[in-house]
Amino acid sequence: MTDVVTSPAGTKAAAALLEIDHLMVMFPVRAGTWGAVVGHVHAVDDVTLTLAEGETLGLVGESGCGKTTLARTLVRLTEPTGGTIRFRGEDLTAKRNKDLRSFRRYVQMVFQDPQASLNPRKRISQIVGAGIRLRGTSKGMKARREVEELLARVGLDPDHAQRYPHEFSGGQRQRIGIARALAADPKLVILDEPVSALDVSIQAQIVNLLDDLQDEFGLSYVFVAHDLSVVRHVSDRIAVMYLGKIVELSSSDELYAQPMHPYTASLLDAIPIPDPDRRRDRRRLVGELPSATNPPPGCRFHTRCPWATDLCTEVEPPLAEFANGHEVACHHPLNVGRTQLSEAIRSESSPRSSGAELTLSPAEAHRVEIDEAQGKDETP
Amino acid sequence: MSDIEVFQRAPITDEVLRVEHLKVSFRTERGVVQAVDDVSFRVGRGEVLAIVGESGSGKSVSAMTLMGLTRSPNATISGSARLADGTELVTASDRDLQRVRGSRVAMIFQDPMSALTPVYRVGDQIAEQIRAHEKVSKAAARARAVELLERVGIPRAAERSRAYPHQFSGGMRQRVMIAMALSCSPEILIADEPTTALDVTIQSQILAEIEDLRQETGVAVLLITHDLGVVAEVASRVVVMYAGRVVEECEVHEIFKDPLHPYTWGLLGSVPRIDKVRPDRLPTIQGSPPSLLRPPSGCHFKTRCPHRFAECDREPELRALEPNSVHRDRCHLSLQDKRALRIVDGAIGLPIPVEKELS
Ligand SMILES: Nc1ncnc2c1ncn2[C@@H]1O[C@H](COP(=O)(O)OP(=O)(O)OP(=O)(O)O)[C@@H](O)[C@H]1O
Ligand SMILES: Nc1ncnc2c1ncn2[C@@H]1O[C@H](COP(=O)(O)OP(=O)(O)OP(=O)(O)O)[C@@H](O)[C@H]1O
Ligand code: SF4
Ligand code: SF4
Ligand SMILES: [Mg+2]
Ligand SMILES: [Mg+2]
């Protein structure tokens, strides 16, 4: 933390590239012939996050919990309903479309489905060239040379510039998507499930490529994925989402070694291990998936949490911050001792609707269960 | 060839499907794409056969061909795919195939939304499916639909059966697909990447449901996936495909403990492991998959294989290297060489080539 600077906004230090503050995205739900609004989907519900220069933030969570919506909002493909997004201290949410042009160059997105996100009628040279034009400089021969250099950089044959997207395999199309994003010379790249549809060897190539590009261009990434092994590999920190909220945030290694939120624990538990000797009896999450239009009161996970108490059904847990910046939104976190619990503080990132004070206590009931299952010593 | 044939016929108890020398090609403006190039495999009753392999290696095309879904004017299909009673799927008339589809062979797709009709209630869609193959009353079919939804773990099934697909989450829709697929107690369930778009907790539920049904009904499952963790957890046997061909076929244990084809080594070496220390870089297989318009002569993996030698210009056969073994692979290396070459830094993988990785 030597290069602490004061951002123009004058608040947070440590060279934050991106500051997401109490961000909300709600979608109206319509019904009937006249399309009357009968409710709202709380896709992103009061999310606060920061991203440092050069950092990779992993974003994981249940299908439908709002990851794509959050990602799209960061590049302003979706309009936020509330809250702010600051990029290098500048409030983007206050900007009109016209003023966003210069910003678009700095924040680029790579989409989950390269097939759907590349215009089938455009040649690769046009697709990648569009990114270069965002910078507004190169034209003609110079632009063409730049396209070719970019294609080579992402491991494609520059001769392919004149081909159309359907002439490429899934892995190659994903490289085209990355080349298009890089063409604008961005600072931040939002990657929404960039490798989910690819086989593991191509997945590994793309992950390594992203790694190299990050070092070379000093990029920051927000990396959305279902595959927790891939997320662990690429991320410095990981945010876990459940039903529109951040429920846990921690350094990548610690999240896997010491998951504190019961939902995170069940996610990790469900990862299939590529070793037939370790076939496990999967512990399944039971209970019903709550509705995103009418989320449960209190902790949103309580309908499925094995350790829920009465408190959980009444008070939304604020984010508790532990010594090393590990944050968890749970009244009864796992894998922490009483001392740690007593030293935790309420994080400033906590949603506004959450409890004003921390009410942490170990869930005695579950502790017994875990200790028996794992044969561990009781934590003091 | 005939002495090899002997080893291949090691027992699979109660065979329900035998695919032999299946070839599928498509005419395109750039030339003929040989998507499936001589694929053979067998599926036994109640087993889960996993098909893994390179993106674009012909896994989906193989599966869809069994269902008659690749038939089109620009497609050429040859070879054979026979059910236990001798029904030939490759040459069956569209009408006969229609009867087989859904009742004896059912398929679930990666994207369940595309296979459901948005304007019909979920329960009605399942009931329709039942009535297409069985003479039962509407009411009886509806009741069966609710039962099926219950069986695949949809809570409050009676009520939910009246909902529309868009009111279900991705995981629930996939369960509806499974319910639909099982509505006529098929002998074979083809699942093409059924959990790729779902998170791991839902994936684990879906896999557990498929597993329960397999045990209860003895349905054979053909599971296409690129997740080797999923393979380790649910498969009984594995087929590995590369550029239109089967390059290895074996028991699930062998694919992890005694893999014989270099492509398989590369695949295993590329998997990021949650249960291991994270490496700086993920090992990969150099280069990109060959064009199916002009695949390399001889071994299809030759252009990327660090172990290639003169012999590899000749096409290797899919064969067992040990007598009486059901473990077959398609590579010229000797068994001894394979077992020595596949270990890289103490684990299975391919050596990192000297040339630049991306070329
Ligand atoms: N345009 C929209 N209109 C209405 N609801 C929407 C819209 N887009 C998304 N939603 C809803 O918002 C919620 C969050 O969706 P989102 O796509 O962000 O989830 P996700 O976390 O990316 O899920 P997945 O892992 O399945 O991709 C879901 O309940 C979804 O149905
Ligand atoms: N109708 C078609 N016309 C031309 N080529 C086709 C057609 N359908 C499939 N192909 C090609 O056949 C090859 C095999 O495709 P297939 O979908 O079977 O791959 P896959 O193994 O399922 O890959 P993935 O893991 O990416 O799903 C691909 O190169 C594909 O582009
Ligand atoms: S707050 Fe309660 S219900 Fe929510 S995750 Fe923690 S223990 Fe479970
Ligand atoms: S046949 Fe040759 S090129 Fe093909 S996998 Fe074996 S060693 Fe490699
Ligand atoms: Mg998404
Ligand atoms: Mg496929």
Side-chain angles (χ1 to χ4, degrees), chain B residues 51-327:
Chain B
I51 303 187
V52 300
E54 191 90 20
S55 300
S57 61
K59 304 182 293 292
S60 298
V61 170
S62 300
M64 292 196 316
T65 302
L66 300 178
M67 300 285 284
L69 299 176
T70 50
R71 291 181 176 189
S72 79
N74 72 342
T76 311
I77 303 169
S78 68
S80 148
R82 272 195 308 279
L83 299 180
D85 65 352
T87 308
E88 173 58 66
L89 300 176
V90 171
T91 53
S93 69
D94 285 350
R95 217 171 123 252
D96 288 346
L97 207 55
Q98 181 77 38
R99 215 170 299 142
V100 168
R101 202 153 54 204
S103 69
R104 302 187 57 192
V105 186
M107 183 157 179
I108 55 184
F109 300 86
Q110 179 175 341
D111 175 14
M113 203 55 192
S114 63
L116 291 166
T117 318
V119 295
Y120 290 112
R121 295 176 196 276
V122 165
D124 291 350
Q125 294 193 46
I126 302 173
E128 260 323 291
Q129 170 91 4
I130 295 171
R131 278 162 56 81
H133 297 284
E134 263 177 77
K135 278 208 170 70
V136 288
S137 74
K138 258 196 184 144
R142 283 228 185 93
R144 271 266 292 288
V146 172
E147 252 169 55
L148 282 163
L149 287 173
E150 241 157 36
R151 194 155 108 199
V152 295
I154 304 255
R156 294 183 285 135
E159 185 190 325
R160 291 300 177 83
S161 72
R162 287 194 297 274
Y164 295 94
H166 72 91
Q167 294 170 313
F168 279 23
S169 73
M172 281 165 75
R173 273 182 226 136
Q174 199 55 285
R175 282 188 245 179
V176 171
M177 287 301 299
I178 297 175
M180 215 139 129
L182 293 163
S183 63
C184 298
S185 343
E187 293 150 46
I188 303 165
L189 175 64
I190 302 175
D192 191 353
E193 314 222 12
T195 58
T196 303
L198 305 174
D199 72 81
V200 286
T201 60
I202 297 177
Q203 161 169 289
S204 138
Q205 286 173 6
I206 300 272
L207 294 177
E209 273 148 24
I210 293 181
E211 174 65 19
D212 289 351
L213 289 159
R214 189 186 65 79
Q215 285 181 4
E216 273 170 43
T217 66
V219 63
V221 182
L222 197 62
L223 176 72
I224 300 175
T225 176
H226 59 240
D227 189 331
L228 291 166
V230 169
V231 171
E233 293 217 346
V234 302
S236 3
R237 285 190 312 123
V238 184
V239 160
V240 184
M241 287 188 68
Y242 185 82
R245 291 180 181 161
V246 174
V247 295
E248 185 156 3
E249 179 187 358
C250 60
E251 303 283 331
V252 68
H253 271 270
E254 290 166 331
I255 203 79
F256 294 99
K257 306 291 175 201
D258 188 23
L260 296 181
H261 196 280
Y263 172 67
T264 313
W265 308 341
L267 214 51
L268 289 165
S270 312
V271 182
R273 295 281 295 256
I274 206 86
D275 55 337
K276 302 259 163 89
V277 180
R278 72 169 148 171
D280 262 358
R281 285 179 82 71
L282 292 172
T284 68
I285 305 174
Q286 66 161 327
S288 24
S291 150
L292 296 174
L293 288 165
R294 264 165 264 97
S297 63
C299 173
H300 278 180
F301 191 50
K302 164 176 93 172
T303 50
R304 303 170 73 190
C305 181
H307 304 303
R308 67 180 165 263
F309 59 115
E311 198 58 2
C312 305
D313 289 330
R314 211 167 45 78
E315 185 180 327
E317 273 172 37
L318 184 64
R319 73 215 197 293
L321 290 173
E322 282 173 314
N324 302 324
S325 170
V326 286
H327 190 162

Side-chain angles (χ1 to χ4, degrees), chain A residues 260 262 307-309 311-312 330-334 341 359-363 366:
Chain A
M260 293 189 191
W307 302 304
T309 58
L311 177 65
C312 307
C330 172
H331 295 304
H332 314 299
L334 306 172
L341 284 181
T359 36
L360 299 178
S361 66
H366 87 247

Side-chain angles (χ1 to χ4, degrees), chain A residues 107-128:
Chain A
V107 186
Q108 287 282 309
M109 181 150 173
V110 174
F111 298 86
Q112 169 168 7
D113 182 356
Q115 177 125 37
S117 66
L118 300 176
N119 186 337
R121 286 179 224 293
K122 293 240 162 96
R123 295 178 194 277
I124 304 312
S125 56
Q126 293 169 293
I127 292 172
V128 177

